[in-house]
Amino acid sequence: MLDNVAVSVRDLRVSINNKEIIKGISIDFPRYAVTAIIGPSGSGKTMLLRSINRLVELIPDVKVSGKIWVRIGDELHDAYTLDPSYLRRKVGYVFQKPNPFPHLSILKNMTIGPMLNGIAKGKKNLERLAEEKLKEAGLWDEVKDRLNDAAWRLSGGQQQRLCIARALALEPEIILFDEPTTGLDLYNTKKIEELMVRLKEKYTVIAVTHSVDQAGRIADFIAFIYNGKLIEFGSAASVLKSPANELTELFITGRVLDGVKV
Amino acid sequence: MSLKKLRDVVYTGLAYLSLLLLIIPLAWIIFECIIRGGYYIVSRPLEFFTDIGRPPGVEGGGIGHAIQGSLYMLGLALLIGVPTGMFAGIYLAERRNSPIAKAARFVSDILVEFPTILVGIVTYIFLASKVTGILATGPAAFAASLALALIMIPIVARSVEATFLTIPSEIREGAYALGFSSGQVIFRILLPAVKAGVVTAVLIGFAKIIGESAPVIVSNGISNFWFSKWTEPAPSIPVLIYVYGLSPFKEWQTQAWAASLFLLLLVMGVGFLARRLTKKLL
Ligand SMILES: Nc1ncnc2c1ncn2[C@@H]1O[C@H](COP(=O)(O)OP(=O)(O)OP(=O)(O)O)[C@@H](O)[C@H]1O
Ligand SMILES: [Mg+2]
């Protein structure tokens, strides 16, 4: 069973300024699959995601307890005893808002990660890696003639795919997406959804999404988070067709009410 | 004419008027400097820029020694002030809530408001005075440099901090998410992203100290000879303007105007460069 687990979360609790935000979540994210995390705004989806790559530690006065095991190669490692730099290389993160480095070119956005992390050396190798990962992210054809343009000149959707390619360039094993298609047009949304599905061949994908429809389109598994707790977790088909919990049903049918306490 | 249009005209008129109120004094000062001192520079440029001052009442001489002294004094001040101010500013922005940052912010807010002459006096008393000084036994050029650095540091620090705080948090988080260490995030991503702002911050600090005379006089004293030692008084352009300008000697007064013109053009040049550089780097 554990062989198929990429990330194992055990009784995770996160509090900020002594206010508990994640209230004891345990979940096993399957390897080489897309798991969608759904739930209403403010339920703690982003916090759960950021606990996995320890980005939560950037928040002042944050406290994390419980355990998170992350599969790197054949072994599960305790995320919170690993070197955070190493962990974040192996667990890529794509943000809700595209965030390429605005002062760098498209190419430099791709090469700076591998360069500073010592993954590839020399202009030739770095550029080859950049090309390979841009192709993997389905952006190469659109940018190959303008690699030296500033990254902010790209459209929002292109910027987001650049950020995905940038994460891929670090050769991660797991990629976390936080509502990556928010505010993008249909074309780019479709491209990114297809990409997430394609990526599961080589990587484990965990994607937060606002949209139940999107979860239905991309996910093999769905986790429903509400008020800092995991309400339901299972295969996408079972969660969407026959939710076990009433709250899940309320949410996926678009009827969840703010203020409902669990 | 509608009311809206009338209001437009009035506001535009007021804007131009205030612009005029700004330009008139500036133009007037430049004009004054040119007619009272400009001819001296034009009539003997080489002597003005390379020669030393003459005793009162003697024809000729230049401000070469003051230029040299200012170069030394400002050079050391920049050497101390730029890195210190920059690192302090980065620290203030990136460790916003640490006790050290809070204390440093408090101190630099006081220092920014501090009369610069007091900075000079304090530096003098601690470092160079005959009785309590620890590095010299009298007015000294290095004390002035240190005073100028102290004046510059809080200004640079607070503007660098402000510049860093304009960086959207997604950029910072994005850099950490790629596995970069704090040092890499700050020096390889954030600093290059705001280098124009940092250059501007440094130039603002530089512009503040380039024309200072009071803190220099109280810590370095007055000299009308070439720069010789860091532990002795050195000449500088603002102090020369002050001394020559207040003297009763016609020759010195003329050179004070000429030196003022030079300093004015220098400061404007720094400002112009800052703007050009900012545009280019953006
Ligand atoms: N930096 C922070 N400091 C304090 N509280 C925070 C911080 N970030 C998030 N929170 C709180 O934590 C809770 C969970 O936030 P989180 O961002 O994980 O929600 P979410 O499920 O991702 O919501 P959304 O769908 O709107 O993105 C919210 O109540 C939020 O107010
Ligand atoms: Mg969120």
Side-chain angles (χ1 to χ4, degrees):
Chain A
M1 155 71 191
L2 274 182
D3 276 358
N4 301 321
V5 172
V7 178
S8 178
V9 178
R10 284 289 162 272
D11 195 31
L12 177 73
R13 288 169 194 276
V14 179
S15 32
I16 300 173
N17 288 324
N18 295 319
K19 185 173 169 277
E20 199 167 53
I21 307 243
I22 302 287
K23 305 168 178 173
I25 288 183
S26 297
I27 183 173
D28 289 329
F29 291 98
R31 204 177 182 191
Y32 299 131
V34 177
T35 302
I37 300 174
I38 59 173
S41 195
S43 55
K45 305 182 295 294
T46 298
M47 283 298 150
L48 171 60
L49 213 58
R50 289 187 176 203
S51 302
I52 299 173
N53 72 344
R54 291 174 63 179
L55 220 50
V56 282
E57 292 180 343
L58 297 183
I59 304 170
D61 301 313
V62 74
K63 268 215 190 70
V64 180
S65 72
K67 276 257 184 287
I68 296 182
W69 301 94
V70 170
R71 177 176 298 284
I72 296 170
D74 290 329
E75 277 174 76
L76 284 172
H77 296 266
D78 179 348
Y80 283 73
T81 60
L82 282 178
D83 169 25
S85 288
Y86 179 68
L87 173 72
R88 289 172 190 151
R89 252 167 56 198
K90 290 295 166 189
V91 183
Y93 195 100
V94 177
F95 291 75
Q96 182 165 351
K97 204 170 153 204
N99 58 351
F101 300 125
H103 63 296
L104 296 181
S105 67
I106 296 168
L107 182 62
K108 283 265 163 58
N109 263 281
M110 289 300 298
T111 56
I112 190 148
M115 188 180 79
L116 294 187
N117 283 307
I119 288 170
K121 287 210 171 63
K123 201 165 167 325
K124 268 257 144 23
N125 292 328
L126 284 165
E127 288 182 8
R128 196 174 318 126
L129 182 65
E131 178 177 344
E132 180 192 328
K133 299 301 171 182
L134 282 168
K135 281 178 177 159
E136 204 173 326
L139 188 60
W140 176 250
D141 288 333
E142 289 162 66
V143 300
K144 62 171 189 268
D145 299 322
R146 48 188 296 206
L147 288 172
N148 293 315
D149 275 12
W152 58 264
R153 288 177 169 276
L154 294 172
S155 77
Q158 289 172 326
Q159 287 186 22
Q160 190 64 303
R161 284 182 283 141
L162 175 64
C163 291
I164 298 173
R166 183 175 76 175
L168 294 179
L170 298 180
E171 302 180 331
E173 312 221 349
I174 298 155
I175 307 172
L176 312 173
F177 290 86
D178 189 1
E179 305 191 32
T181 60
T182 308
L184 299 186
D185 57 29
L186 276 176
Y187 171 80
N188 278 290
T189 299
K190 190 157 169 287
K191 277 229 141 193
I192 289 173
E193 286 180 1
E194 284 166 5
L195 177 58
M196 286 193 278
V197 172
R198 197 153 18 96
L199 288 176
K200 75 179 176 191
E201 288 166 22
K202 282 173 67 184
Y203 314 90
T204 298
V205 175
I206 303 175
V208 167
T209 169
H210 237 103
S211 145
V212 176
D213 292 337
Q214 183 168 70
R217 289 193 294 271
I218 63 169
D220 304 299
F221 299 90
I222 293 180
F224 173 56
I225 309 279
Y226 189 79
N227 193 24
K229 291 179 187 160
L230 177 67
I231 305 299
E232 187 157 352
F233 176 62
S235 75
S238 70
V239 171
L240 292 178
K241 288 211 185 74
S242 47
N245 190 291
E246 191 192 352
L247 278 165
T248 316
E249 186 173 355
L250 283 173
F251 182 76
I252 60 179
T253 52
R255 286 178 293 155
V256 89
L257 303 168
D258 280 332
V260 175
K261 282 279 171 330
V262 187
Chain B
M1 194 152 68
S2 72
L3 197 66
K4 191 165 175 295
K5 213 159 177 194
L6 184 71
R7 212 167 49 197
D8 265 8
V9 170
V10 171
Y11 281 144
T12 315
L14 284 175
Y16 275 112
L17 191 70
S18 50
L19 187 67
L20 216 66
L21 285 177
L22 259 163
I23 288 177
I24 287 175
L26 180 68
W28 183 61
I29 292 169
I30 296 177
F31 181 70
E32 198 81 351
C33 289
I34 290 175
I35 54 165
R36 289 178 185 247
Y39 73 87
Y40 190 83
I41 304 181
V42 179
S43 65
R44 39 181 108 195
L46 194 69
E47 188 176 345
F48 180 72
F49 286 113
T50 59
D51 210 347
I52 194 169
R54 297 273 182 276
V58 178
E59 179 74 10
I63 63 163
H65 60 310
I67 294 174
Q68 178 216 30
S70 276
L71 281 178
Y72 273 103
M73 226 180 253
L74 292 171
L76 181 61
L78 289 177
L79 218 59
I80 302 168
V82 171
T84 314
M86 248 174 64
F87 281 106
I90 293 173
Y91 190 89
L92 288 178
E94 296 300 308
R95 296 283 177 273
R96 218 162 308 166
N97 298 307
S98 78
I100 299 179
K102 282 179 183 158
R105 200 172 288 122
F106 181 70
V107 171
S108 71
D109 276 351
I110 292 176
L111 265 178
V112 167
E113 305 289 331
F114 222 56
T116 55
I117 190 167
L118 286 184
V119 178
I121 290 174
V122 170
T123 318
Y124 174 69
I125 290 174
F126 278 108
L127 295 178
S129 84
K130 198 161 190 152
V131 186
T132 51
I134 50 174
L135 290 174
T137 54
F142 79 86
S145 290
L146 216 74
L148 294 176
L150 278 176
I151 292 165
M152 176 182 196
I153 287 167
I155 298 169
V156 175
R158 292 313 298 266
S159 351
V160 168
E161 180 193 11
T163 305
F164 264 70
L165 290 182
T166 61
I167 303 172
S169 59
E170 305 99 67
I171 302 298
R172 190 177 279 109
E173 289 168 355
Y176 279 108
L178 289 178
F180 300 158
S181 65
S182 306
Q184 288 174 327
V185 172
I186 290 168
F187 293 106
R188 305 302 296 266
I189 304 292
L190 302 185
L191 192 59
V194 293
K195 60 183 172 229
V198 171
V199 170
T200 308
V202 167
L203 287 171
I204 291 172
F206 183 55
K208 167 83 184 169
I209 63 170
I210 193 172
E212 282 285 358
S213 58
V216 174
I217 291 174
V218 296
S219 55
N220 159 84
I222 291 169
S223 158
N224 210 14
F225 303 104
W226 293 101
F227 176 97
S228 61
K229 278 194 196 127
W230 284 108
T231 50
E232 305 255 314
S236 72
I237 303 170
V239 175
L240 178 138
I241 293 171
Y242 173 79
V243 173
Y244 278 20
L246 291 184
S247 79
F249 314 113
K250 180 86 188 36
E251 298 80 10
W252 276 17
Q253 286 171 6
T254 303
Q255 290 185 39
W257 284 109
S260 302
L261 180 63
F262 175 57
L263 188 61
L264 207 63
L265 293 178
L266 209 65
V267 174
M268 280 164 51
V270 169
F272 179 73
L273 200 74
R275 226 150 333 123
R276 280 290 298 272
L277 220 56
T278 312
K279 266 203 203 114
K280 216 168 163 180
L281 291 175
L282 270 177

